[in-house]
Amino acid sequence: MHSVDPTTESMIRSVLAYAENRLRLNPVPLDRGSRDPAELDAALQGLLGPGPHNPDQVLGVYTSVVAPAVISADSPRFLGFIPAAPTKAALLFDMLVSCASIQGISWLEAAGAIHAENQVLRLIADRAGMPASAGGCFVSGGSAGNLSALVVAREVAKRKAGPASSVGRRWRVAVSEDAHSSITNTLRICEMDPLIVRAEDHRLTGVGLRAAIEADGDPASIAAVVATSGTTNAGIIDDLAGVAAVAREYTLWFHVDGAYGGAGLFAPSVRSKYDGIEHADSFIVDPHKWLFAPFDCAALLYREPSIARSVHTQDASYLDVIHDTPGEWNPTDYAYHLTRRARGLPLWFSLSVYGVDAYSEAIEAAIRLAHLTADEIGRRDNLELIREPELGVVLFRRRGWDSAQYNRWADQLLTDQVAFIPPSAWDGETVARFAFLHPETSMDLVIQILDRMN
Ligand SMILES: Cc1ncc(COP(=O)(O)O)c(C=O)c1O
């Protein structure tokens, strides 16, 4: 299994040939996700057992059964949820990271990889206007980033309150109803409660936050506020400057969830909407979303990383050695993880190869397409735009349709391999939603999709 024998040679040829072909797909086809489990069971039967199999036979099952049963999130026709669109350079380098088993736990073991990752984190921090002290690490996704950041926020609140007043206290976090589900999940895991702030027009504002705090019976139990820089469902950027000011006044931890929309920091046309993000105590953005990295990759930044380190550092005799030299940067100290792959490296490689301007242009392409789509919807009598797009998401309704009709429309588009565009909901109503992210999604495709609503 670990030596280079004829089986290894044959696998190198066939697996790399498959990977090469996949990389050369232009465009990537959509494929289908959902399959009958019995059908999948039958196709995979007997492969996992005590004995070996010919690698080409196993790869054949993968290519003929497993791969086609996965919708390609990196297809320009994938327009649901939040898509992915990793660059070719990032995909290639991801293979290298895997082949070389590059981990990124501690400076002692992986200084080179960590230094390159940290340069990317610095680039993002600079775009956000965070201070020179800012730093953090890459984690697996926005959920992991939100969890790691809010654990720090809770700890800071406890320390501020002191042991006497924090015993048995239930901490709370101010959020709007449009915050991502991973925030609710984090609060549940951390045994904290949400303080729901009424958000005018789905946008959390400083005014709304202040009103909620002033009306609250127990403001001392509020540990943090979470603002979103690009809500998942509608791409709305909260009033970051207003929220930051109120957070400062009440000494709340200010966390910004930019898992989806944080990439807009690189788009000059929308950069001003993010004003105030520079005050964040913690901030996340998922490069596996709109910064064109492969799964799974989220950047987690803290304004003062030493605080995060004091919360997340794992203490064990066998780990003392990685903490022996003060000043060395150990990514493991900045989130709840220990072992981690150096998942920031594909982004570092790709940014270096193409240059940051190419990223800005690719992000702008999705924003432009969202505006063109909104204009097109406005020209059609049977359609109605729900709100002007801020980023790459467009919400709209087909007048007169019920949810069954939206579902039939979406199912047929997938069956015909035109697009993956599952319906969403807005204020309780089923609606249609484009999530643009791939720079090669075309207006022609949009028109084809809209025409099918006639
Ligand atoms: C605003 C926001 N936060 C958090 C997440 C969770 O990120 P992940 O799926 O990478 O865990 C998402 C995912 O879509 C998101 O849009």
Side-chain angles (χ1 to χ4, degrees), residues 82 141-144 146 180 182 228 230 232 257 259-260 284 286 288-289:
I82 304 288
S143 308
N146 285 332
H180 187 258
S182 61
T228 309
T232 317
D257 176 359
Y260 156 57
I284 63 151
D286 279 3
H288 68 213
K289 293 186 168 72

Side-chain angles (χ1 to χ4, degrees), residues 48-298:
L48 291 183
H53 289 90
N54 181 309
D56 286 340
Q57 179 202 344
V58 183
L59 185 61
V61 173
Y62 175 77
T63 57
S64 62
V65 180
V66 178
V70 177
I71 302 180
S72 304
D74 55 345
S75 167
R77 295 174 182 277
F78 190 110
L79 304 170
F81 307 118
I82 304 288
T87 66
K88 300 296 182 194
L91 287 169
L92 277 160
F93 211 76
D94 203 52
M95 287 169 54
L96 188 151
V97 170
S98 293
C99 285
S101 300
I102 301 182
Q103 45 87 344
I105 302 167
S106 69
W107 192 261
L108 172 71
E109 300 157 282
I114 293 165
H115 191 72
E117 284 190 311
N118 283 352
Q119 288 199 341
V120 180
L121 291 172
R122 186 65 251 159
L123 179 75
I124 296 170
D126 283 343
R127 288 288 164 145
M130 291 175 87
S133 58
C137 62
F138 286 95
V139 294
S140 63
S143 308
N146 285 332
L147 173 63
S148 298
L150 289 177
V151 164
V152 178
R154 184 188 58 177
E155 209 53 37
V156 166
K158 275 193 201 166
R159 288 175 190 174
K160 254 187 344 222
S165 48
S166 60
V167 172
R169 164 168 252 168
R170 198 80 192 182
W171 293 100
R172 293 183 303 157
V173 175
V175 292
S176 89
E177 269 174 338
D178 293 77
H180 187 258
S181 49
S182 61
I183 300 291
T184 318
N185 222 25
T186 286
L187 299 188
R188 190 178 45 74
I189 292 166
C190 298
E191 300 192 335
M192 294 196 279
D193 294 315
L195 167 66
I196 302 289
V197 179
R198 241 179 56 80
E200 207 58 51
D201 192 31
H202 296 265
R203 186 166 182 257
L204 178 68
T205 61
V207 172
L209 176 61
R210 181 187 301 283
I213 295 171
E214 286 175 357
D216 192 66
D218 184 18
S221 68
I222 308 170
V225 55
V226 175
T228 309
S229 63
T231 57
T232 317
N233 206 21
I236 299 164
I237 300 164
D238 287 338
D239 164 27
L240 302 178
V243 172
V246 177
R248 231 184 357 257
E249 189 180 329
Y250 288 90
T251 57
L252 305 180
W253 183 274
F254 176 38
H255 175 66
V256 179
D257 176 359
Y260 156 57
L265 287 169
F266 288 82
S269 70
V270 293
R271 174 60 185 85
S272 63
K273 293 175 194 273
Y274 295 80
D275 288 353
I277 201 169
E278 66 276 12
H279 301 298
D281 292 300
S282 51
F283 164 56
I284 63 151
V285 53
D286 279 3
H288 68 213
K289 293 186 168 72
W290 213 2
L291 284 174
F292 313 116
F295 299 126
D296 45 12
C297 181

